């Protein structure tokens, strides 16, 4: 089972940079649109100015004792929907992880359960 942390502040976002950069370095399939710099700059220069009612909701998932980690750069739009940061600005936005197992990242089940629990608790 994964441990999932929700990043909600810019300070927490900045603190993810070393892990984020490490994951990007391990996965040659990732593009500039998955880098920390692009996501942070889109958040600070686009969302805060054009969509100031949106809120950060980045998920960081890891497993103790394993090197598996994933970052899902989400935000919650004013409408209440969850979206990937920058999805309206780029056609390539996705999670940041070192590797996939087929087309299904090992954290997807845990993240799905996490969202289900959030929904049940609201």
């Amino acid at each position: 089972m994964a441990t999932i942390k929700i990043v909600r502040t810019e300070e927490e976002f900045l603190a993810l940079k070393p892990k984020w950069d490490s994951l990007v370095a391990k996965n040659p399939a990732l593009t500039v649109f998955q880098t920390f710099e692009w996501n942070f700059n889109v958040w600070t220069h686009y969302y805060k100015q054009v969509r100031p009612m949106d809120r950060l909701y980045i998920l960081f998932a890891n497993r103790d004792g394993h090197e598996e980690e994933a970052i899902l750069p989400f935000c919650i739009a004013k409408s209440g929907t969850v979206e990937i940061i920058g999805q309206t600005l780029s056609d390539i936005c996705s999670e940041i992880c070192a590797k996939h197992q087929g087309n299904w990242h090992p954290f997807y089940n845990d993240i799905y359960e996490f969202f289900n629990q959030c929904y049940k608790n609201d």
Side-chain angles (χ1 to χ4, degrees):
M1 185 75 167
T3 300
I4 298 173
K5 177 184 177 191
I6 304 170
V7 172
R8 297 178 185 198
T9 68
E10 282 186 30
E11 292 77 21
E12 292 172 318
F13 196 166
L14 283 167
L16 273 180
K17 185 178 184 339
K19 289 191 180 288
W20 198 308
D21 289 346
S22 174
L23 290 172
V24 169
K26 291 176 186 174
N27 189 340
L30 297 179
T31 71
V32 68
F33 301 111
Q34 284 88 37
T35 63
F36 174 85
E37 288 77 9
W38 191 84
N39 281 271
F40 189 77
N41 283 309
V42 167
W43 177 258
T44 57
H45 297 291
Y46 173 73
Y47 283 87
K48 286 180 68 177
Q49 294 175 24
V50 178
R51 297 172 54 171
M53 298 301 291
D54 290 6
R55 297 171 291 153
L56 278 175
Y57 199 81
I58 299 171
L59 299 184
F60 173 68
N62 70 340
R63 289 199 172 109
D64 291 334
H66 295 86
E67 294 209 12
E68 295 174 342
E69 295 176 321
I71 298 171
L72 288 93
F74 292 140
C75 66
I76 299 177
K78 178 181 164 183
S79 65
T81 60
V82 176
E83 64 181 53
I84 294 177
I85 292 173
Q87 75 179 31
T88 60
L89 304 173
S90 167
D91 59 350
I92 306 173
C93 294
S94 69
E95 79 282 349
I96 294 83
C97 59
K99 62 181 179 177
H100 286 81
Q101 294 176 351
N103 288 329
W104 192 253
H105 190 278
F107 289 116
Y108 288 167
N109 288 332
D110 296 330
I111 291 164
Y112 176 77
E113 287 301 317
F114 175 81
F115 276 121
N116 274 339
Q117 289 301 317
C118 290
Y119 177 75
K120 289 176 186 175
N121 292 331
D122 280 347

